Amino acid sequence: MKLYYYPGACSLAPHIVAREAGIAVTLEKVDLANRTTETGANFASINPKGYVPALGLQDGSVLTEASAIIQYLADNQANTDLAPAHGTMERYRLLEWLGFISTEIHKGFGPLWNPSTPDAVKAATKERLATRFALLDEALGKQPFLTGDKFTIADAYLFTVVNWTNFHGIDISSFPNLQAFQARVASRPAVQQALEAEGLTKKAA
Ligand SMILES: N[C@@H](CCC(=O)N[C@@H](CS)C(=O)NCC(=O)O)C(=O)O
């Protein structure tokens, strides 16, 4: 399998999951501005959506959308705790978190990446994110990971997007449980390996 990625982007979540699951993936870096990959391929022809992550599968097809890719990787490894079995209430709880992370946190950062976003909009974006961080902080005060005692794909995704606070100068020290979660996840060997492979070790939480 080949993971098309950009350092520190949401593609870090499937990268972490692959390493946690012990699945060998080839990494191919994408120049998002020029829509080309590091081997010179036209990324638009690989993923017409134009964004990472994209996972090239053995049969030549490509799977996109972070939430789908991390589930695909976890479900490929039946013996891991990375995702509860389909059809269980635990799986729906996982999906509940994935939806929250994708729409409220991942896309919640959206305006901050655009240099032309007015300062007032940036401030409002950070305020809205803070309300979501408060919910996460409360949840993570009760248990070490989002769904309980075990690290799952939702934790890999959350870590990846909350790590963006480092790129936008957002202080999360008023959310101590969330801050401790970031440090807890960062210290996992698979996460360290993924950060190092993407050249991000110094910027990690
Ligand atoms: N809906 C997609 C969004 C992916 C996404 O936002 N990718 C960003 C990096 S985190 C990207 O590649 N942006 C470049 C672009 O859209 O041109 C998903 O959940 O995977």
Side-chain angles (χ1 to χ4, degrees):
M1 283 188 267
K2 183 183 279 187
L3 178 63
Y4 295 91
Y5 83 105
Y6 183 80
C10 44
S11 44
L12 177 60
H15 185 181
I16 289 170
V17 169
R19 287 182 187 268
E20 290 278 354
I23 298 171
V25 292
T26 306
L27 295 173
E28 184 145 341
K29 191 161 146 181
V30 178
D31 179 337
L32 291 168
N34 296 320
R35 301 277 192 269
T36 53
T37 77
E38 62 183 324
T39 63
N42 174 8
F43 186 58
S45 70
I46 295 163
N47 178 14
K49 291 171 174 171
Y51 50 65
V52 293
L55 187 69
L57 306 179
Q58 313 288 16
D59 65 1
S61 63
V62 173
L63 185 66
T64 62
E65 302 301 318
S67 297
I69 295 171
I70 55 182
Q71 290 185 72
Y72 178 84
L73 291 169
D75 292 341
N76 256 271
Q77 291 297 100
N79 292 331
T80 75
D81 292 322
L82 289 167
H86 283 283
T88 61
M89 192 60 208
E90 288 77 15
R91 184 69 175 224
Y92 293 110
R93 289 294 174 203
L94 180 84
L95 294 176
E96 187 177 25
W97 278 121
L98 292 180
F100 180 80
I101 297 164
S102 176
T103 59
E104 302 298 328
I105 313 293
H106 180 174
K107 287 299 150 185
F109 273 90
L112 301 181
W113 297 110
N114 186 344
S116 62
T117 299
D119 285 347
V121 175
K122 283 188 179 163
T125 298
K126 289 180 182 178
E127 274 173 32
R128 192 172 172 84
L129 277 172
T131 66
R132 278 38 177 174
F133 290 164
L135 291 167
L136 289 163
D137 193 61
E138 192 187 346
L140 292 166
K142 297 176 189 147
Q143 50 200 32
F145 298 110
L146 285 173
T147 60
D149 292 334
K150 291 175 183 163
F151 176 90
T152 71
I153 58 175
D155 300 300
Y157 195 6
L158 181 64
F159 168 80
T160 296
V161 293
V162 172
N163 194 43
W164 295 342
T165 55
N166 293 312
F167 294 87
H168 295 294
I170 299 173
D171 180 9
I172 59 165
S173 60
S174 55
F175 308 105
N177 301 316
L178 180 61
Q179 193 171 43
F181 167 86
Q182 289 298 103
R184 190 177 309 127
V185 176
S187 70
R188 297 175 71 84
V191 176
Q192 279 300 310
Q193 288 162 14
L195 291 170
E196 200 173 325
E198 296 195 10
L200 293 166
T201 314
K202 284 181 190 152
K203 282 181 188 164

